[in-house]
Amino acid sequence: MFQADDVVLGMRTRANAGVRLVNTDFSVLSFVRTVAAPAPGTILPTRVDTANYTQVLPSANIAFNVTDDFLVRVAASQTQQRAGIAELAPSTFVAVLNGTASGGNAQLRPTVSTQADLSFEYYINRSSLISGAFFYKDVQDFVANETVLAVFEETGATPIPFTRPGNIGSAKVKGFEVGVQLFFDFLPSPLDGFGFIANYTYSDSKDQAGNPLVAVSKNSYNLIGLYEKGPLSARVAYNYRDEAVFSFTQGRPDFIGARSQLDAQIGFDLTENIQFQVQALNLSPVDSATQEYSVIPVALNSYALSERRYTVGLRVKL
């Protein structure tokens, strides 16, 4: 790791750079049903060495204090994300009655992202700021569930849908984000306890087939209203995101529809160490419903509606 703090073109400049070396040796122990000796149908433990690789992950950051209140940052890095244990599990489940199968994939490669961003921060005062950023990512070997037709002994010679995670391909993501955090501490009491936080992100992503990157919405934003004054604290939060790809069926993308959620919370300090809290989550269930479809929203594959949730409790600091 390298760090530096200097003055460049009259601006205080801080920079750091480093590299991370990651070595992965991955193997799995599973059980395989034999089709020949010692006897057809015998289940034997089998160890398979599935991956042994080394990844070099560099990173660099530099920040310029243009003024005392205005900061510019430039950053570039390469990151790696391994698949989860459940995704890597070498298991296959065949639902004979439903005529479907699912499982894990021990051969999954890690997702590697090469990224760069340019960001700006303007500090209005000690508690308020306006920020923005432009970003670019080159993603290799991203992981998503894919459904193909496969033949299994349990269901005969007719192919059935088989769903499991796979390295679908590569994608590029570019976009920008803006945000503002503002507290009205310049107003007279009790109005000086109000504040709000807002941010918006635009992401334009495409994989090698022209589909959006898995789990990336083109538009998303968050709006939060706050009040913090004396023993009283309150918060109302609203978040929204566009539709996003979540899996693939024979190369065709499957989508989760656009959704939003509204939550609220209020707290009151009974003593220095005890706070009474009331929370209301998912106040607009229809707007937060999960809709899954393959082509258009009216041709639903599934629809899940979550309920409103209310909680009342005490928070104690020891």
Side-chain angles (χ1 to χ4, degrees):
M1 174 69 73
F2 165 78
Q3 292 184 329
D5 193 335
D6 205 346
V7 176
V8 177
L9 299 176
M11 297 179 292
R12 182 185 172 192
T13 304
R14 299 181 302 279
N16 63 71
V19 63
R20 189 159 58 102
L21 187 66
V22 180
N23 177 261
T24 300
D25 187 359
F26 178 65
S27 60
V28 296
L29 180 63
S30 63
F31 295 88
V32 177
R33 177 182 297 169
T34 62
V35 294
T42 301
I43 298 177
L44 297 176
T46 302
R47 183 182 182 89
V48 180
D49 295 320
T50 61
N52 189 330
Y53 54 87
T54 300
Q55 189 74 36
V56 179
L57 303 173
S59 65
N61 302 271
I62 185 167
F64 302 95
N65 276 93
V66 181
T67 68
D68 290 340
D69 303 323
F70 184 47
L71 189 69
V72 177
R73 301 180 189 270
V74 182
S77 64
Q78 192 170 69
T79 61
Q80 172 186 281
Q81 181 179 2
R82 298 185 185 91
I85 296 299
E87 294 173 312
L88 290 165
S91 55
T92 300
F93 302 94
V94 179
V96 177
L97 294 179
N98 294 335
T100 61
S102 61
N105 184 355
Q107 303 294 330
L108 289 174
R109 300 181 298 276
T111 299
V112 177
S113 174
T114 303
Q115 52 208 16
D117 61 78
L118 172 66
S119 62
F120 309 88
E121 301 170 12
Y122 175 67
Y123 292 86
I124 302 171
N125 53 43
R126 294 180 62 183
S127 59
S128 303
L129 69 90
I130 299 173
S131 62
F134 298 94
F135 56 84
Y136 174 83
K137 302 177 186 289
D138 186 345
V139 183
Q140 301 293 323
D141 290 329
F142 68 85
V143 176
N145 280 338
E146 56 180 345
T147 301
V148 297
L149 295 177
V151 175
F152 294 91
E153 178 183 344
E154 293 84 353
T155 56
T158 302
I160 64 173
F162 177 35
T163 302
R164 71 171 186 169
N167 291 109
I168 304 300
S170 61
K172 291 178 170 53
V173 186
K174 56 186 176 182
F176 67 88
E177 57 187 11
V178 291
V180 59
Q181 174 179 298
L182 181 62
F183 289 90
F184 299 99
D185 46 13
F186 54 86
L187 294 177
S189 181
L191 300 178
D192 56 346
F194 283 104
F196 75 89
I197 300 172
N199 58 70
Y200 167 78
T201 301
Y202 173 83
S203 297
D204 182 17
S205 64
K206 287 184 179 180
D207 65 13
Q208 74 280 0
N211 298 311
L213 179 61
V214 169
V216 175
S217 297
K218 180 163 285 190
N219 298 282
S220 61
Y221 61 85
N222 298 279
L223 301 171
I224 303 173
L226 306 163
Y227 185 81
E228 298 279 349
K229 183 69 175 179
L232 178 65
S233 64
R235 173 184 295 244
V236 178
Y238 178 83
N239 61 74
Y240 169 87
R241 64 155 181 79
D242 280 347
E243 70 174 12
V245 172
F246 76 96
S247 67
F248 290 83
T249 301
Q250 299 183 44
R252 185 185 67 245
D254 302 312
F255 295 90
I256 292 182
R259 69 181 303 274
S260 62
Q261 183 165 323
L262 178 64
D263 303 323
Q265 174 183 314
I266 187 169
F268 189 83
D269 294 330
L270 300 177
T271 69
E272 184 177 347
N273 297 320
I274 301 177
Q275 185 186 57
F276 174 75
Q277 289 186 339
V278 178
Q279 284 186 326
L281 304 178
N282 195 27
L283 289 172
S284 53
V286 174
D287 296 330
S288 68
T290 300
Q291 306 173 62
E292 297 181 359
Y293 50 89
S294 296
V295 182
I296 54 177
V298 295
L300 288 176
N301 294 335
S302 69
Y303 180 91
L305 187 67
S306 299
E307 74 283 356
R308 296 184 183 91
R309 299 184 299 279
Y310 301 96
T311 61
V312 178
L314 291 176
R315 184 176 181 181
V316 180
K317 298 179 183 178
L318 300 178

